[in-house]
Amino acid sequence: MNVIFSSESSRLAVEDGLVADETARSAREIAVDGFIVPGLRDAHFHPITYAASLVVPSLKSAQDFAEISQRLNQAADGMAPGVPMSAIRLDDETLAEGRLPNRHDLDTMAGDRPLIIHRYCGHIAMANTAALALAGVTSATPDPVGGTLDRDAQGEPTGVLREMGIEVVSLPLAEQSGPAVTDDQVVDAMYALASVGLTSIGGIVGCGDGPWADLGDQFSQLVRIADRLPINVRVLVIGQDSDQLRDAARRIKEVGSRRLTFLGVKIFGDGSLGGHTAAMHEPFADADTTGQLRFDAAVSRPLAETALNLGGIVAIHAIGDRANAAVLDFYEDIVAGGGDANRLRIEHASVLGPDEVAAFARLGITASVQPAFMASETEWLEKRVGPVRLTQTYPLRTLLDAGVPLAGGSDCPVEPPHPLPGIAAARDRCGIVPAQGLSAAEALSLFTTGAARALLEPEPLVAGSPADFVVLDVDPLAATPDELREARVLATYVAGELVEVPDGIVTWQE
Ligand SMILES: [Zn+2]
């Protein structure tokens, strides 16, 4: 049986939660009013940070420091004095001041309440003086491995924290304040994902350390709500050591939920384009730096081997071409040692020269891509990478033509969770180098077949595969990208059952 959606089908035979052959006598037929499409999958998603983005103060699209201050004060209303506060999704590109706020700026905003603000990319954060004091950070505190604490001319920390420097402050804050989101709020957030058409996500979580450590032990939170999950969460653990991975796989198995499975390990190779921390071969076009390579093969090897031995995958974040080259070298060794290339992913794979694309293709490494990045980077991407590298940034057409397996995602809450605008962006690229655009079917398959494969799920909507599907009000293969952006998800089915989304669920806040 072939994929069904192209036939404008509005019926599906289901048996025991699986797609049934139409001739199966005991199958039940689900008839819908709309277009049946395979359940949309997001290969790279941060479920707890997303849930937090719906409830903790978001600074996205704040125009200037005054607006940041106003939003923070609003959020602090009713909070006991002295309780630490976190805020997320700050984007300095939209700030009139044209720079990140430092500790002194934050002191005028939050006073003596410890405050940490995460840049939207998750690779940079800012702390005020009270937060630095709570964390015991002084001019004598050394930079941690893989990160920096920015300092002024006198050597005093400015409050700007980069990469592993973030958790130097966020961990002590988390100990003080506890998790920022409740279990109920995370469950609501997963219903919100069903309502936008997602039936599975690759859910990236930390275990109380690493980026967003102030959000608490995200892994344990997912395990606690496993039985309440309306959609499938394939867990990628931001693991620091092999024991942590083995422990995570064991705990997921013990829960025995169909919805929660162990997917593997997430490792960081570099930073972001927005923060100039992506590792590039050549300097950025608008800053005299080649970014920060965070990738350490010696540290990553045991993690990767453990994940593969546990039946999982390896997903390594690499945005700049230099980071991609380093990770591809590493994967070449893993493959030479007998590792399965089908289980090796590079997250983002944003800037790729011909050498990197060739290595992806030769090894068969999956590029886990986020087309929606283009929607929010239209204003500054060319300024960052320059005109030549712009044609090599998010090179979806080049990758697909080279035979590289692609998987779609959002990196939510970096971008909104909605997969349909992501599919649209893979087609028209929001105007960025349109020649790198995909066809309607190719773009859809990023978020269906491609992501399913990257999540170790069977081919969607074939006989015997889980009846995970959505009903749209348009045919995604006939709709224009703009029509797709406006399209509505009429219903979402997981394992043949309609997901009943509670009233009042919020899917996104700016
Ligand atoms: Zn991410």
Side-chain angles (χ1 to χ4, degrees), residues 267-293:
I267 297 169
F268 286 93
D270 66 349
S272 67
L273 290 173
H276 293 107
T277 50
M280 311 290 285
H281 288 306
E282 302 295 328
F284 286 96
D286 60 349
D288 187 22
T289 171
T290 56
Q292 255 175 326
L293 188 66

Side-chain angles (χ1 to χ4, degrees), residues 283-356:
F284 286 96
D286 60 349
D288 187 22
T289 171
T290 56
Q292 255 175 326
L293 188 66
R294 280 176 70 178
F295 185 68
D296 183 333
V299 172
S300 300
R301 176 171 290 277
L303 287 171
E305 286 173 352
T306 303
L308 294 172
N309 286 336
L310 289 165
I313 70 154
V314 186
I316 305 181
H317 167 119
I319 287 191
D321 46 13
R322 182 161 59 101
N324 275 276
V327 176
L328 287 161
D329 276 353
F330 173 73
Y331 279 161
E332 179 141 37
D333 279 356
I334 297 275
V335 171
D340 180 358
N342 290 313
R343 290 174 179 249
L344 305 177
R345 286 173 28 180
I346 291 188
E347 305 308 299
H348 312 308
S350 305
V351 185
L352 303 173
D355 291 351
E356 288 85 27

Side-chain angles (χ1 to χ4, degrees), residues 63-399:
Q63 297 298 309
D64 52 25
F65 289 1
E67 188 176 348
I68 297 175
S69 178
Q70 184 212 331
R71 291 201 202 177
L72 290 174
N73 283 315
Q74 221 166 41
D77 198 36
M79 270 177 91
V83 174
M85 181 175 195
S86 303
I88 57 175
R89 305 190 65 236
L90 180 70
D91 182 358
D92 45 300
E93 291 289 336
T94 65
L95 295 175
E97 287 81 358
R99 63 172 175 89
L100 295 169
N102 60 32
R103 66 191 289 182
H104 307 295
D105 301 314
L106 299 188
D107 289 348
T108 65
M109 298 175 190
D112 54 7
R113 179 190 299 284
L115 167 70
I116 185 164
I117 295 178
H118 296 270
R119 194 174 185 277
Y120 76 92
C121 64
H123 295 271
I124 298 179
M126 292 128 267
N128 69 351
T129 299
L132 293 172
L134 193 152
V137 171
T138 66
S139 55
T141 308
D143 284 350
V145 176
T148 45
L149 314 169
D150 283 11
R151 293 160 209 271
D152 63 19
Q154 284 72 45
E156 290 294 328
T158 65
V160 175
L161 318 165
R162 295 176 197 269
E163 306 295 343
M164 299 305 281
I166 297 172
E167 69 176 80
V168 172
V169 177
S170 65
L171 268 180
L173 255 63
E175 266 165 40
Q176 188 95 3
S177 57
V181 256
T182 66
D183 291 358
D184 286 350
Q185 287 168 334
V186 179
V187 172
D188 282 354
M190 298 301 101
Y191 275 97
L193 299 188
S195 77
V196 301
L198 290 169
T199 57
S200 298
I201 57 168
I204 298 169
V205 288
C207 303
D209 44 18
W212 296 295
D214 47 314
L215 297 182
D217 182 346
Q218 305 181 20
F219 175 80
S220 294
Q221 193 159 33
L222 270 188
V223 168
R224 280 201 302 277
I225 61 165
D227 290 336
R228 303 167 65 195
L229 289 171
I231 64 166
N232 301 306
V233 178
R234 317 296 183 200
V235 182
L236 281 168
V237 177
I238 304 175
Q240 314 290 326
D241 62 59
S242 295
D243 284 344
Q244 209 174 29
L245 290 181
R246 278 190 281 268
D247 192 50
R250 178 185 56 75
R251 285 172 64 194
I252 289 175
K253 205 170 174 183
E254 275 171 12
V255 174
S257 159
R258 290 171 301 154
R259 300 269 194 267
L260 192 74
T261 55
F262 175 78
L263 182 61
V265 65
K266 162 82 186 290
I267 297 169
F268 286 93
D270 66 349
S272 67
L273 290 173
H276 293 107
T277 50
M280 311 290 285
H281 288 306
E282 302 295 328
F284 286 96
D286 60 349
D288 187 22
T289 171
T290 56
Q292 255 175 326
L293 188 66
R294 280 176 70 178
F295 185 68
D296 183 333
V299 172
S300 300
R301 176 171 290 277
L303 287 171
E305 286 173 352
T306 303
L308 294 172
N309 286 336
L310 289 165
I313 70 154
V314 186
I316 305 181
H317 167 119
I319 287 191
D321 46 13
R322 182 161 59 101
N324 275 276
V327 176
L328 287 161
D329 276 353
F330 173 73
Y331 279 161
E332 179 141 37
D333 279 356
I334 297 275
V335 171
D340 180 358
N342 290 313
R343 290 174 179 249
L344 305 177
R345 286 173 28 180
I346 291 188
E347 305 308 299
H348 312 308
S350 305
V351 185
L352 303 173
D355 291 351
E356 288 85 27
V357 172
F360 262 102
R362 178 165 44 82
L363 298 168
I365 305 299
T366 297
S368 167
V369 298
Q370 296 72 32
F373 282 178
M374 287 181 274
S376 46
E377 296 176 0
T378 0
E379 296 297 315
W380 54 261
L381 188 60
E382 182 165 6
K383 186 178 78 174
R384 254 324 165 277
V385 297
V388 174
R389 280 182 299 193
L390 188 67
T391 65
Q392 304 173 344
T393 305
Y394 311 123
L396 302 181
R397 178 85 264 152
T398 303
L399 285 166

